Amino acid sequence: MGNLWLALGLTIFAGMATGIGSGIAFFAKRTNYRFLSISTGFSAGVMIYVSFVEILSKGNEALAAAYGEGLGGLGESRLFLCWNRCHRRHRWFDTGGGESP
């Protein structure tokens, strides 16, 4: 029963935050597009991070169930390092100060 009240409280808090934010946006005299773009980018980053962490824990459980705790954790680490290396090799942005492709 305690989890029910916690979930209900968090849902009400999120709804109130949405209502307060929409009220501020509705009654604002001018639109600050820079702030809007920064806050939208931040919220998108948070959503991607939460989704990735959730998928990562499920993948860890699946690998541990299939290969055992030792090999499952090792497989997860190797996959993460391989993804990180491939991501660094194929950069989307030019970091040399020149024009972007």
Side-chain angles (χ1 to χ4, degrees), residues 56-69:
L56 192 64
S57 66
K58 288 181 182 179
N60 187 19
E61 291 173 5
L63 285 172
Y67 299 110
E69 288 290 327

Side-chain angles (χ1 to χ4, degrees), residues 3-98:
N3 288 339
L4 175 71
W5 290 110
L6 177 65
L8 184 63
L10 289 174
T11 304
I12 290 172
F13 178 71
M16 288 174 49
T18 304
I20 291 170
S22 65
I24 291 170
F26 184 72
F27 292 113
K29 299 291 182 203
R30 62 184 178 93
T31 304
N32 187 350
Y33 290 108
R34 183 172 187 227
F35 174 73
L36 184 63
S37 65
I38 290 171
S39 60
T40 303
F42 177 74
S43 65
V46 168
M47 287 187 272
I48 290 170
Y49 172 75
V50 168
S51 299
F52 181 71
V53 167
E54 187 173 324
I55 290 171
L56 192 64
S57 66
K58 288 181 182 179
N60 187 19
E61 291 173 5
L63 285 172
Y67 299 110
E69 288 290 327
L71 286 177
L74 182 65
E76 180 187 15
S77 300
R78 291 184 61 96
L79 286 172
F80 178 76
L81 291 174
C82 178
W83 175 81
N84 192 17
R85 174 177 253 177
C86 292
H87 179 13
R88 286 184 183 197
R89 185 174 297 155
H90 303 288
R91 293 185 181 181
W92 292 332
F93 301 106
D94 183 20
T95 57

